Each structure stands twice: as C-alpha cells, then as structure tokens.
C-alpha cells in the first residue's frame, strides 16, 4: 500500500503493479478473499496518480481527496470500491474491473467529478455512482447494480448487462446519446 500524507503528490507507476493478496471471483463479483480493509493508494488533495495497476487490496483500490486526477490505470480485484473520488476529482482512460464494491464513486460533496474514457466491468455495486459531475465516453458492463447512478450528467457511454434496473439511474441527466443495452437513449 502507498499513502501520501501531504497534498500535491504525484505518482507515476511506470507500468508497475501495486498488489495485495485479495482475489475476487464472479461476474459481477460474488466474493473476495481473503478479507481485509487495506487501501491500495490513498492521498490528500490534488494528487496525480497514473500509469500502472492497483489490485488485490481488502478495501478501496484508490482513495483520493479533492481535486485529484487519476489516469491510465488498471484497478482490479479489490475488496471494496475500485476508485473513490472526492470533490473536483477525475478518472480518465482507466479500466476498473472485478472489485467487491462499486467500480467508481464520485461523491463530490457539492463539487464536480469527472469520469471519461473508462471501462468499468463486473463490479459488485454500481459501475459508477456520482453525486455531481460528468460521465462521458465510457463503457459500463455487467456490474451488480446500475451502470450509471447518481445525479451527474452522462453522454456518449455504452451501458449494458448491468443487474440494476434501469441501467442508468432516474436522476442521471442524459446530455448526449448513450447506448443502453441495444437501445440508443438520447436527451429530449
């Protein structure tokens, strides 16, 4: 595990893996073991984390504070949420799969979160839950609950095979067309 106790930290994993012992099974995930509560990478505000893999932790894969940026990562097989963002945070061009909780949470406490260009699959929760912000050009597939939930704006996404009904939550603001299963859903 890696923990930054200062703001403005940057971590380029350089293609390396930060790993714990947890393995999750099922699609969507039905169990993870061994149990634990460790967080793979955690940081204070304004972190920059990119370029590698975070897997196998008992709790959250990556948890960051306000205004943090995450990109070009694989986050998989963690016992809790894959990536937990705070106000003003973003995750881009990342693959978030087979975690024991939601793939991505962007519970922004009145701020704005962004998810763009991501693949979020097979998690034992929502693909993404966002209280505010923008979710674009991403794929949410085979998650245990809804593909996209919360009250963020969404457009250009592919959402399919998620167990929650509907695949996109009723409070999500559809700002551009999304493909939901085999139907294209566009704003009025």
């Amino acid at each position: 595990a890696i923990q930054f106790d200062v703001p403005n930290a940057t971590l380029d994993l350089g293609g390396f893996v930060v790993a714990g012992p947890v393995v999750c099974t099922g699609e969507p995930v039905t169990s993870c073991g061994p149990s634990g509560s460790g967080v793979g990478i955690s940081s204070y505000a304004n972190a920059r984390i990119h370029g590698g893999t975070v897997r196998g932790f008992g709790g959250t894969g990556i948890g960051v504070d306000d205004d943090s940026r995450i990109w070009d990562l694989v986050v998989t097989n963690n016992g809790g949420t894959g990536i937990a963002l705070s106000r003003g945070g973003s995750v881009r061009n990342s693959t978030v799969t087979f975690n024991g909780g939601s793939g991505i949470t962007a519970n922004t406490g009145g701020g704005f979160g962004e998810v763009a260009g991501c693949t979020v699959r097979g998690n034992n929760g929502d693909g993404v839950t966002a209280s505010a912000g923008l979710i674009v050009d991403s794929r949410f597939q085979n998650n245990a609950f809804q593909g996209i939930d919360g009250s963020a704006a969404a457009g250009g996404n592919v959402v399919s095979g998620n167990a929650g009904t509907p695949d996109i939550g009723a409070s999500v603001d559809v700002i551009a067309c999304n493909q939901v299963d085999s139907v294209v859903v566009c704003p009025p």
Side-chain angles (χ1 to χ4, degrees):
I2 298 172
Q3 179 174 333
F4 293 104
D5 289 332
V6 296
N8 305 311
T10 297
L11 176 61
D12 179 352
L13 290 172
F16 286 95
V17 176
V18 179
V22 173
V23 174
C24 298
T25 58
E27 183 174 355
V29 167
T30 54
S31 68
C32 298
S35 64
S37 60
V39 175
I41 299 174
S42 62
S43 180
Y44 284 176
N46 204 34
R48 305 293 185 258
I49 303 168
H50 62 97
T53 299
V54 179
R55 71 166 184 240
F57 290 90
T60 299
I62 299 174
V64 292
D65 279 344
D66 296 353
D67 301 316
S68 293
R69 306 284 181 260
I70 296 169
W71 70 96
D72 297 335
L73 288 169
V74 174
V75 181
T76 188
N77 279 276
N78 297 289
T81 296
I83 298 173
L85 297 175
S86 292
R87 183 176 39 133
S90 72
V91 57
R92 293 178 160 265
N93 305 321
S94 294
T95 300
V96 185
T97 58
F98 308 111
N99 295 288
S102 291
I104 301 169
T105 59
N107 296 315
T108 58
F112 190 88
E114 177 187 40
V115 175
C118 294
T119 297
V120 184
R121 175 179 166 200
N123 299 287
N124 188 25
D126 292 316
V128 62
T129 299
S131 60
L134 185 63
I135 303 166
V136 295
D137 303 325
S138 295
R139 177 177 295 273
F140 303 94
Q141 183 177 18
N142 297 346
N143 296 289
F145 300 123
Q146 292 176 311
I148 302 172
D149 196 17
S151 54
N157 300 292
V158 176
V159 186
S160 67
N162 300 285
T165 302
D167 266 336
I168 296 179
S171 296
V172 173
D173 181 16
V174 176
I175 59 168
C177 295
N178 294 283
Q179 181 177 332
V180 180
D181 293 316
S182 61
V183 177
V184 176
V185 177
C186 297

